[in-house]
Each structure stands twice: as structure tokens, then as C-alpha cells.
Amino acid sequence: MDYMKKIVYHSNYWYNDGLRKAQMRDMSGAVASLRRSLQFNRENIAARNLLGLVYYGIGEVPEALVEWIISKNLKARDNIADYYIKNVQASAKELETINLAIRKYNQCLAYCQQNGEDLAVIQLKQVISAHPSFLKAYQLLALIYLHTEQYPHARQILRTARKLDATNDITLRYMHELVQRKGRRRREKKKDDAVEYSLGNETIIQPKHSRIREMAGQLAVANIFIGAAIGAAVIWFLVAPAVAQSRADRMNDQMREYSEEIKSLEAQVSAQTRTLDNYRASGENAEDAAQQTQTTRDSYESLLTAQDQYDSPDYGDADVAETLLKVSRDSLGANAQAAYDELSAAVYPGACDTYFATGSEALNAEDYQGAVDALSKVVRMDEGYNSGQALFYLAQAYQESGDNDNAATYYQRVVEGYADSEYAAEAQTNLDEVSRAAQ
């Protein structure tokens, strides 16, 4: 009995985790958590209904119907899944629109294989207009924009896709590719669309290999199965009243088999308990993982914004640097880190000059908070600016504002890091004064 309670407890834990992620629009994470909840307890009606809603939220209507029909078979009365199914059933026109959108999506894959990206773009715009939550359509459209180097359009589509599912692997990978390509565009010249080589006395011109065609070919195979699943789901939905009883009987037989298996596993309670404890430990780290995901997402967003500002004549180095300071470099991939390093090397020197001048003027005008704000940015960008002068002025600003702890910290950094500079002796004198005041 204690074993069964633990099963139910862990199923509810992963349901709550999936609910939290769904509220954050982390649909991929929500699907994973809810699937784990159902692995512990396949009769968790709340988890199954929520899984259907998550699928529906990213445009996967057939998968949503499957989960709701299973839920209704497990609990025929007082089940909100019945309400969801009736809503879809009452809107036959909407179901037909979704089915048509999926067929158009599959046609777009064929266009991509035939170098018909322009036709695919036109049709995909119609698809997302008719079915606004169809995540895969947004991703394919963004991929075409990336391939045709229409980066502003790709960025706009990827932002919309991220609103549907904030942590989808494909969306994040395309965002990473966008960052990489925009960085490479400033370093390299655009290459020709053909490869020319010699064979004997003849010159052969061969078209470049199209990545979009290759990926479209892979997606076409996958979408044959998707189309088949959709057709099966629609047929199943239409004949569900006739097969519901038969399915319910099979489900009851399976439940009896599972109950017997659980009884036979009673002797393995100790080993299973250790496994469940490991799941609990991984669950306690879920919040840290979510925070890390948010940091990574924000860093990529800030990097993209900084690159757009750098390409625009409306922003100066100080504006771009202000955005770059929001980026956590360690959360970026290798290519994005390279783009960040290149951009910071281009804008930080000029931004340091601007902020240092602003901070010095504020310090002379006894605007110590303004001096701290400006000079701290200089130190974050280049701690050794002017052989420690920025550090020294920042320490003075903190001292004059009454913050002796921070003043001592920065004076100490001047003394230790720039002992040969003209500011080291005065920094040591001020450090001694601050230390005596703290006693």
C-alpha cells in the first residue's frame, strides 16, 4: 500500500510540474513532465486532459483528441474531456480547416524539394493564417527564410513560434542558427550560388547542394506518417461512439493486468524506492533548469537585439553595449559566443569612452549615484580601462556616497591589480581611511 501511495504521489508531482511549465508556455517541457506523470499512473485524468490541452495549444489536434478520448474511456462521467471533445465535434468546419492546413503544409514540403521556396512561403502564410497555433508550419517558414537569407522575417516568425512553445528544441536551434549567420554575414562575403570546377579540358558548373531540399526530404517522410495519423484520428473520432465500449473493455483488461503486475512487484519495493528517490532528486532540480532556460533565452534575445542595433544607424556604441551587458556569455553556444565576442570587441572601446566621460562629469558634479551607474558599466566592459582609472573613480564615487564596503572592494582591486599605476598610492591611502572608518 505504501508503494501505491508513492506511485500516486510521484504522478501528481509530475502533473504539477507539467502544469507549471504549461503556464510558462514551456510546452515541450510540459509534454515531457505529463508523459512521466502518466508513466507512474496512467489513470491520472487531470494529467491526461492537460496533455491534450498542451497538444491542442501547439496545433497538434489529432494527438489532443487521442488523449481526451482515452481520458473519457477511463472516466465516462464528470470528465471535462467530454466538454473538449464536444467543442471540437461541434466545429466540423474548424476541423476541416485544420485538416486542409496540414495538407497544405505537406504540399509545401514538396515545393521545397522542387526549389519552389517562393510558392512554399506563400502557402505557409495561408497555413498559419488558417491554423495560427500550427507550430511546425512556423518552423518550416522560418527555415525557408533562413535559407533565403531573409533574416528579419525569420526572426519575426521564430519569435511567434517561441510564444507557442518557449523551449522547443527546433525553435531554439533555428534561433541559434540565425545568430550564427548574422555574425558570419559581417565577416564573410556572400558566396556564389554555384560551384565551378575543371574536369580535363572541360569546365563544369554544378548547383550548390540545397540544405532546405535535404531537410524537406526528411520532413516529407515524417509527414507521411503524420498525415496517416491525422486521417486515422479523424476517422476514429467519427466512429468513436461505436467503438467506445470495445475500447473500454480492452482498457479494463489492461488495468487488471497492470494491477497483477503491481502485486508481483511488491517484493521489489526497496529497489523501486531508491529509483523513486532518484526521480525526486531530479525533480528538485527542475526549477534550476527552468531558470537556466530562461537565462539562455533572454541572452539570445539580447544578443539578437544588440546585433540589430549595431546594424542600424540609429544606435551608437553605448546603446549597443547597454544591451550586450544583459547577455550571460556562459549560457550561449560556441557560435553565439563568437558572435558576442566580435560584437563586444567592436562596441565596448567606444562605449567605455562615453560612459567614462559621463561618470567623470557626474563625480565632479557630486552626482555620486550617476557616477556609480556609468563607471560600473565601464568596469564591467573593461576593468583595466586607463590603467585602473575607472576602478579608482568608481571607488571614490562609492566612498563619497557613504558605501564604504564597495569603496574598499574597488580600492583593493586598484592596489592589487594596478600597483604600478599613478592611482595605486592614493587608492591605498583611501583604503586605509575607509578601513579605519569601518572599525
Side-chain angles (χ1 to χ4, degrees):
M1 194 60 167
D2 182 58
Y3 178 79
M4 292 299 296
K5 286 182 179 179
K6 289 185 177 181
I7 290 287
V8 172
Y9 166 79
H10 283 280
S11 177
N12 291 337
Y13 171 83
W14 286 110
Y15 162 73
N16 290 328
D17 186 65
L19 177 61
R20 179 179 60 82
K21 290 179 178 177
Q23 291 170 340
M24 297 168 56
R25 297 301 299 182
D26 178 6
M27 297 306 202
S28 298
V31 168
S33 294
L34 292 170
R35 282 294 183 192
R36 184 168 290 184
S37 173
L38 293 175
Q39 287 176 355
F40 283 104
N41 180 12
R42 70 191 313 274
E43 293 187 29
N44 191 332
I45 301 300
R48 196 171 291 279
N49 289 340
L50 179 57
L51 180 58
L53 285 176
V54 171
Y55 278 136
Y56 191 86
I58 58 175
E60 303 292 346
V61 178
E63 286 81 354
L65 284 173
V66 169
E67 297 302 329
W68 290 334
I69 290 173
I70 293 175
S71 173
K72 185 179 178 182
N73 286 331
L74 290 173
K75 183 182 178 183
R77 294 184 179 181
D78 299 326
N79 190 340
I80 197 171
D82 188 48
Y83 169 77
Y84 299 146
I85 294 173
K86 286 181 179 178
N87 272 357
V88 177
Q89 188 177 24
S91 182
K93 183 178 179 181
E94 181 182 354
L95 195 62
E96 179 60 30
T97 300
I98 293 172
N99 193 28
L100 179 61
I102 295 172
R103 289 202 299 270
K104 286 184 176 181
Y105 169 79
N106 291 332
Q107 182 63 48
C108 290
L109 294 174
Y111 286 152
C112 292
Q113 289 180 293
Q114 300 164 9
N115 288 331
E117 285 88 353
D118 292 340
L119 291 175
V121 167
I122 294 172
Q123 189 143 303
L124 282 170
K125 288 180 178 179
Q126 297 175 355
V127 170
I128 61 179
S129 176
H131 190 11
S133 61
F134 195 4
L135 179 61
K136 291 180 180 178
Y138 288 102
Q139 291 171 339
L140 180 57
L141 182 56
L143 180 60
I144 294 174
Y145 281 144
L146 283 172
H147 176 70
T148 56
E149 298 185 355
Q150 300 181 58
Y151 299 134
H153 293 300
R155 181 183 178 189
Q156 181 180 2
I157 293 298
L158 288 173
R159 280 181 169 176
T160 305
R162 205 183 69 184
K163 290 178 182 178
L164 293 174
D165 186 355
T167 60
N168 184 273
D169 288 341
I170 295 176
T171 302
L172 291 178
R173 188 160 64 247
Y174 289 172
M175 289 185 69
H176 180 80
E177 178 70 13
L178 177 61
V179 172
Q180 181 181 358
R181 288 195 176 199
K182 291 189 73 175
R184 188 164 58 236
R185 185 178 59 176
R186 290 193 302 272
R187 297 193 302 268
E188 299 178 354
K189 295 180 180 179
K190 185 177 180 182
K191 296 183 179 179
D192 294 332
D193 292 331
V195 177
E196 181 175 329
Y197 60 94
S198 298
L199 182 63
N201 295 325
E202 297 182 355
T203 299
I204 298 176
I205 300 177
Q206 179 178 351
K208 291 173 66 177
H209 183 66
S210 175
R211 183 182 176 190
I212 193 74
R213 267 202 314 275
E214 179 183 323
M215 296 193 69
Q218 297 173 355
L219 290 172
V221 176
N223 278 278
I224 290 174
F225 295 99
I226 293 175
I230 290 170
V234 172
I235 293 174
W236 183 19
F237 175 69
L238 294 176
V239 301
V243 302
Q245 186 59 47
S246 174
R247 183 174 179 81
D249 292 341
R250 289 197 302 271
M251 295 292 292
N252 291 334
D253 291 340
Q254 289 178 356
M255 292 306 301
R256 282 193 292 271
E257 291 176 3
Y258 290 147
S259 298
E260 292 173 0
E261 289 178 5
I262 290 174
K263 291 179 181 178
S264 68
L265 291 172
E266 291 283 340
Q268 303 177 22
V269 170
S270 178
Q272 294 295 332
T273 300
R274 288 194 298 269
T275 302
L276 292 173
D277 289 339
N278 290 336
Y279 276 123
R280 177 182 296 176
S282 64
E284 290 173 352
N285 294 328
E287 187 152 349
D288 292 339
Q291 182 62 40
Q292 181 61 35
T293 298
Q294 183 65 39
T295 300
T296 300
R297 212 162 44 235
D298 292 343
S299 294
Y300 273 106
E301 185 68 21
S302 297
L303 182 57
L304 286 171
T305 301
Q307 287 179 327
D308 287 346
Q309 291 175 341
Y310 182 72
D311 294 335
S312 172
D314 299 330
Y315 297 89
D317 288 348
D319 299 319
V320 181
E322 181 82 19
T323 304
L324 277 178
L325 288 174
K326 300 175 183 177
V327 176
S328 173
R329 185 181 183 279
D330 292 338
S331 66
L332 301 175
N335 292 320
Q337 286 182 352
Y340 169 86
D341 292 339
E342 180 184 0
L343 193 56
S344 61
V347 302
Y348 275 177
C352 283
D353 293 339
T354 300
Y355 282 121
F356 181 78
T358 301
S360 299
E361 291 176 3
L363 184 61
N364 293 331
E366 298 183 356
D367 177 14
Y368 302 121
Q369 186 57 50
V372 166
D373 292 341
L375 293 170
S376 60
K377 292 175 184 176
V378 177
V379 169
R380 287 179 61 190
M381 290 184 285
D382 182 8
E383 181 174 300
Y385 183 84
N386 281 0
S387 299
Q389 186 178 12
L391 275 173
F392 180 73
Y393 281 8
L394 179 58
Q396 283 187 319
Y398 275 123
Q399 183 180 8
E400 295 297 336
S401 66
D403 189 349
N404 289 335
D405 290 338
N406 276 320
T409 298
Y410 288 102
Y411 280 137
Q412 187 68 40
R413 286 162 69 172
V414 173
V415 172
E416 293 178 352
Y418 306 94
D420 297 330
S421 71
E422 60 182 291
Y423 312 102
E426 188 174 354
Q428 183 63 62
T429 301
N430 291 346
L431 177 61
D432 295 338
E433 180 182 343
V434 169
S435 301
R436 287 193 299 270
Q439 294 176 355

